Amino acid sequence: GAGVSQSPRYKVAKRGQDVALRCDPISGHVSLFWYQQALGQGPEFLTYFQNEAQLDKSGLPSDRFFAERPEGSVSTLKIQRTQQEDSAVYLCASSLSRPIAAANTGELFFGEGSRLTVL
Amino acid sequence: GNSVTQMEGPVTLSEEAFLTINCTYTATGYPSLFWYVQYPGEGLQLLLKATKADDKGSNKGFEATYRKETTSFHLEKGSVQVSDSAVYFCALRRNAGGTSYGKLTFGQGTILTVHP
């Protein structure tokens, strides 16, 4: 497709269930980010991939959160044993280039997000 | 650490009014600064950017100037339209170098509603 595609758009889970959120970045994009956006807040960084390598996972809030991008294209964010505080919109963004220059500002293209509600 | 603070909303204006949304930041070094916009039911879109001090980003009638001395990047538009109703996010990106890869740090967002 032309843009970043995320699925499902909406997910309702019971507390304790595992969920998987998928991101299809723009074809050929090297960099991929996951963000978490709580209601009324700005997006917060979760993790970053450069191709298949997960270079930064410092934003993942707990070991219940796991992300992968095994072939350097599609990425999956998995949340195990979901809790109510996990309720948020999960955003995926991709960028064509990997940052190699001090002033690199390659544009990030965002998907529409997956809204997770944990009951 | 890096942080971005935006003026609290929501902001409600009449069509053709002047808009200012304040944004200040805290960062080490010389970050790049961005405004993103999120229209209802859509994903975040880049509105404008500035990569160094005194740069002015502009797009769709919106402008913002990178002010290093006041660590600010206020968004302005001279005459808003109903179609500008959206959520606006200020963000910074520490420039790449070494092990940095330029992740974005966002403000909390400002809801703008423009009435006819």
Side-chain angles (χ1 to χ4, degrees):
Chain A
V4 177
S5 178
Q6 292 187 247
S7 61
R9 289 290 312 279
Y10 303 92
K11 175 69 178 179
V12 178
K14 292 183 179 179
R15 190 173 56 181
Q17 282 185 331
D18 297 349
V19 300
L21 308 176
R22 177 187 169 103
C23 173
D24 278 274
I26 294 172
S27 178
H29 276 198
V30 168
S31 293
L32 186 145
F33 296 79
W34 283 98
Y35 286 83
Q36 180 190 59
Q37 186 177 13
L39 187 64
Q41 301 297 315
E44 298 265 352
F45 169 80
L46 292 177
T47 188
Y48 166 70
F49 289 87
Q50 188 177 102
N51 295 308
E52 70 279 4
Q54 189 175 20
L55 299 187
D56 189 339
K57 51 184 180 179
S58 62
L60 297 176
S62 77
D63 58 8
R64 296 185 296 104
F65 287 71
F66 171 77
E68 61 184 3
R69 194 185 185 199
E71 297 179 358
S73 56
V74 171
S75 178
T76 304
L77 176 67
K78 298 179 179 177
I79 310 173
Q80 297 177 324
R81 304 181 304 282
T82 53
Q83 304 294 316
Q84 285 188 322
E85 62 262 28
D86 300 336
S87 296
V89 176
Y90 291 85
L91 300 172
C92 177
S94 70
S95 174
L96 178 60
S97 59
R98 63 179 176 89
I100 56 173
N104 181 289
T105 55
E107 182 176 350
L108 289 191
F109 294 86
F110 283 83
E112 294 179 0
S114 292
R115 181 179 297 277
L116 172 64
T117 302
V118 182
L119 302 177
Chain B
N2 299 332
S3 66
V4 176
T5 302
Q6 291 181 231
M7 66 182 288
E8 292 190 14
V11 174
T12 303
L13 296 173
S14 297
E15 207 165 24
E16 299 183 3
F18 183 84
L19 168 71
T20 299
I21 301 177
N22 290 338
C23 171
T24 57
Y25 68 90
T26 301
T28 55
Y30 301 93
S32 295
L33 301 175
F34 302 81
W35 278 99
Y36 279 81
V37 59
Q38 189 171 34
Y39 298 104
E42 299 183 18
L44 281 166
Q45 302 173 26
L46 178 63
L47 180 60
L48 54 83
K49 66 183 182 185
T51 59
K52 60 183 186 297
D54 299 325
D55 267 2
K56 177 185 284 188
S58 61
N59 186 26
K60 300 182 179 180
F62 290 89
E63 293 183 339
T65 301
Y66 188 161
R67 300 288 188 200
K68 188 173 184 302
E69 63 275 13
T70 55
T71 62
S72 66
F73 192 55
H74 304 321
L75 182 68
E76 297 183 336
K77 186 173 186 181
S79 177
V80 293
Q81 304 301 311
V82 172
S83 58
D84 294 326
S85 298
V87 184
Y88 292 81
F89 293 92
C90 186
L92 70 80
R93 185 172 183 174
R94 191 160 65 93
N95 285 328
T99 57
S100 173
Y101 52 82
K103 67 184 179 184
L104 287 166
T105 299
F106 287 89
Q108 74 271 32
T110 301
I111 300 172
L112 170 65
T113 302
V114 180
H115 292 298

